[in-house]
Amino acid sequence: MSKYQVVGIGNAVVDVISQSDDAFLSRMGIDKGIMQLTDQERGEYLYSQMENRTQMAGGSVANTIAGLGALGLSTGFIGRVNDDDLGQFYAKEMADAGTDFVNPPVAGDMPTSRCMIFVSPDGERSMNTYLGISTELGPEDVQEEVAGQAELLFLEGYLFDKAKGKAAFQAAAAACRAGGGKAGISLSDPFCVDRHREDFRALVKDLDFVLGNEHEWKSLYQTEDLGAALEQAASESGLIVCTRSGQEVVIAQGGETTTVPVRAVVPTDTTGAGDQFATGFIFGMATGQSLEVSGRMGCIAAAEVIGHYGARPEADVMALFKNEGLV
């Protein structure tokens, strides 16, 4: 019997959130609505400019795994934090959310990673990430008894930005599949796809499931024709999922395509929308739901998280599923 229903591997990042207007973003040289990597000096400067900061454990796949733990699944997360205040905070936050943070904080010169998120009045979030010690995540951090005992493994595309992260990713996927589990990936963002296009195209063919949004899929196949991109992906992969802000979700598996309607929601903060869609969808996969129901669960979880600040749910998402008759 598997020890974990779902295990994630990705960057362990503390999210630091504040509200800002477009004029502030312009003064700071921040590109609105996307994620940018930054060095330690700029990261510390941007952190110093944030007013009324709130912080929480984050990281794209970590947010997904924490959501699954909160839904009652047995979950683990493979990540790397420093034994500093933020690292200790991170490990405790994951444990409090019901997820095993399987790698204890470690001593080192590089501080715990943090992402400064500036939320605009229209709900758009502009993220500036200093990866810190997350860049040191490597295969030595992947425990066989964790990845090898996962029914589902969810991988973060951002790990491909460093050779050690890529090796950790590959080790975890191999261990999971050798143990009879299924491994999948989040494409993470269009710029990540641009950086690692050939690797990601290979993963679409090799892994069991791939989640991405319309911009990521179009970037992957270098086309503005989303239909053509999804057709190619579907022909190469076991299961693909495409989210489109405010529009139907497209799911393709085994030559069959399923579309899931989306209820329009005026966002307060779009941070974590994709992460929590993945939570709902993977919860459906892990509990044997149909693709349609899994997609609906993803939409419900995403709608909940964009209704408030922060990348993790505040409401009881299981209760929301029950209200819709899905469980």
Side-chain angles (χ1 to χ4, degrees), residues 11 35 37 131 135 156-166 169 188-189 191-196 199-200:
N11 290 309
M35 195 287 289
L37 296 177
L131 288 176
T135 61
E156 184 173 303
Y158 289 127
L159 286 186
F160 271 67
D161 282 326
K162 293 288 183 177
K164 289 180 67 174
K166 181 178 177 180
F169 178 115
S188 294
D189 78 18
F191 299 99
C192 186
V193 173
D194 287 342
R195 294 191 294 270
H196 308 291
D199 280 329
F200 283 2

Side-chain angles (χ1 to χ4, degrees), residues 47 55 172 270 275:
Y47 183 84
Q55 70 182 37
T270 57
D275 304 341

